[in-house]
Amino acid sequence: MDITKRFDRILQIFFLLQSKSVVTTEELQKRFEISLRTIYRDLKALEMAGIPIINESGSGYSIMEGFRLQPSRFTQEEILSLMVAEKVMQKHETEFIKKHFEAALIKIKSSFQVHQKRDFLHLEDTIHLKNNLTSNDYLPNIIDVLLNSALKKKITHIDYLKSGDINPVGRSVEPIGVFYEHNLWYLLAYCHLRKDYRNFRLDRIKKVLVLQENFTITHPPINEFRDKDLCENIIKIEIKVDRKYAHFLYWDRQIFGFKEEKIAGDFVLMHFDCSLPLVSFVRWFLKYVDVAEIIEPAHLNNELVEIMESGLKRINIKRA
């Protein structure tokens, strides 16, 4: 057995235990790809080293409250990841999150070795993000407010401006969480008005106020909603693109759930698991209609033709 490899794994298990309230054996197995027997042996090694590990019956393992050790070393890969995270967070549109991430990172940096601090400083010139991830339409600290509402299970009142409306409408919601998709932040919440779960774009929330009332029902985690929603709404699409023009589709195709591509002679076959409204895919594909065609589902070609005919009709009317 590689002693160094096992020592590194045991050390990672310790810091994982220290970073969470409870860690299950299933999580340890999945993260480190080791057997249950090996997990028990590694946990026993930590106990023999003086780490007060508690076995939470039916839940998992944790470290006794109050016991803490500072991480003494980081790998080069971990330092690189922290550098990338710092650059991204410096562009974050929510000032609260940006400020407190910086404070947390300073604490992490304080445990770096001297040469690691020097490397971190030199790496600052190797990463650059051109555009700020900002939007004047977001309320200050709105993500923090909504996440705190979800954590404390407090009903929240929002003034929400629907697409096409002039005036926002008040909604009482029970926030479950926020997610980032297609370059926008969204709130997933139970809406008292609709008596159902709804997604709300954060840039359309014009006012937010956390109330004193508690949630009326118990909600599953946001991941369950997102995974279920994505699975139920995915449409598989296949298109064929002239090979010499296929690279033009590269940047935007990820938005529409691009999965894979295969070269077939003079063409490239592209496959998508699209969760967006199909009309949005068709309108995007319209830009490449002279060098590509939709294979499946075939009915999308009907929508494509309707859009093209409507456009030609509009042009002819203007010419007349």
Side-chain angles (χ1 to χ4, degrees):
M1 178 185 292
D2 189 333
I3 300 299
T4 302
K5 183 178 179 181
R6 186 187 177 213
F7 175 79
D8 287 341
R9 184 181 68 243
I10 292 175
L11 197 61
Q12 290 181 54
I13 290 175
F14 165 72
F15 286 122
L16 182 62
L17 288 169
Q18 187 169 267
S19 69
K20 304 180 72 172
S21 57
V22 176
V23 179
T24 65
T25 53
E26 290 79 6
E27 181 178 352
L28 292 172
Q29 282 183 285
K30 184 177 180 180
R31 179 180 290 269
F32 299 105
E33 298 181 346
I34 54 178
S35 66
L36 193 59
R37 181 178 179 182
T38 301
I39 290 173
Y40 291 144
R41 188 169 64 242
D42 289 349
L43 291 171
K44 186 65 176 179
L46 285 171
E47 289 181 326
M48 293 176 65
I51 308 300
I53 296 178
I54 300 174
N55 184 358
E56 304 282 351
S57 180
S59 299
Y61 293 86
S62 63
I63 293 179
M64 182 180 296
E65 181 63 31
F67 185 88
R68 287 292 181 271
L69 288 178
Q70 287 291 97
S72 58
R73 61 180 184 144
F74 292 85
T75 66
Q76 186 69 14
E77 291 78 12
E78 289 168 341
I79 291 176
L80 286 171
S81 297
L82 285 170
M83 169 57 68
V84 173
E86 182 182 42
K87 289 292 186 180
V88 171
M89 293 304 291
Q90 286 172 352
K91 305 290 186 178
H92 204 283
E93 66 264 40
T94 306
E95 186 64 29
F96 179 91
I97 294 178
K98 182 167 60 177
K99 182 177 70 174
H100 289 280
F101 178 85
E102 181 181 355
L105 189 58
I106 288 174
K107 294 177 182 178
I108 294 174
K109 289 179 181 179
S110 68
S111 62
F112 280 2
Q113 297 175 8
V114 174
H115 74 278
Q116 291 176 327
K117 294 176 182 178
R118 187 166 51 247
D119 289 346
F120 200 95
L121 180 63
H122 291 162
L123 284 169
E124 289 185 355
D125 295 329
T126 67
I127 302 173
H128 175 67
L129 296 180
K130 181 178 180 181
N131 298 319
N132 287 330
L133 306 177
T134 58
S135 172
N136 295 328
D137 295 326
Y138 288 102
L139 292 176
N141 302 334
I142 186 171
I143 292 180
D144 173 60
V145 172
L146 294 172
L147 290 181
N148 270 305
S149 170
L151 180 64
K152 296 176 181 177
K153 295 180 170 51
K154 295 293 183 181
I155 295 174
T156 300
H157 179 87
I158 62 174
D159 286 348
Y160 190 71
L161 185 64
K162 291 176 61 177
S163 178
D165 286 355
I166 299 176
N167 299 314
V169 176
R171 302 279 189 97
S172 290
V173 300
E174 300 182 13
I176 298 172
V178 298
F179 61 94
Y180 190 78
E181 186 174 80
H182 310 312
N183 299 319
L184 289 168
W185 282 101
Y186 292 85
L187 165 68
L188 172 62
Y190 179 81
C191 177
H192 285 196
L193 178 64
R194 301 302 182 190
K195 305 297 182 184
D196 201 357
Y197 295 97
R198 291 289 187 269
N199 294 329
F200 300 92
R201 274 177 48 174
L202 295 198
D203 60 323
R204 291 181 179 169
I205 297 177
K206 302 306 176 184
K207 185 178 180 180
V208 59
L209 176 65
V210 180
L211 308 179
Q212 293 302 313
E213 292 93 333
N214 294 324
F215 283 5
T216 59
I217 56 178
T218 300
H219 307 288
I222 188 173
N223 288 342
E224 290 188 18
F225 283 98
R226 296 291 298 145
D227 293 342
K228 180 182 178 182
D229 184 59
L230 290 174
C231 289
E232 291 180 349
N233 293 287
I234 283 179
I235 302 295
K236 294 189 177 297
I237 300 175
E238 180 183 3
I239 65 174
K240 183 170 72 173
V241 188
D242 290 356
R243 188 171 175 179
K244 63 180 179 179
Y245 295 105
H247 64 281
F248 287 110
L249 283 70
Y250 178 80
W251 297 108
D252 291 339
R253 66 185 185 180
Q254 304 298 334
I255 298 174
F256 299 96
F258 170 77
K259 297 295 294 183
E260 63 177 357
E261 66 180 17
K262 297 179 181 178
I263 297 176
D266 294 332
F267 301 94
V268 175
L269 298 177
M270 297 185 184
H271 298 267
F272 299 79
D273 284 348
C274 184
S275 60
L276 292 177
L278 291 180
V279 65
S280 63
F281 180 90
V282 173
R283 289 187 175 278
W284 167 72
F285 180 82
L286 186 62
K287 295 188 293 184
Y288 310 104
V289 69
D290 60 325
V291 296
E293 62 180 289
I294 297 175
I295 307 299
E296 293 288 345
H299 68 81
L300 292 188
N301 287 300
N302 296 331
E303 294 189 41
L304 184 65
V305 171
E306 288 179 6
I307 293 173
M308 293 172 64
E309 288 179 343
S310 178
L312 290 173
K313 183 178 179 180
R314 180 183 293 266
I315 292 173
N316 291 332
I317 290 175
K318 287 185 177 181
R319 284 181 176 177

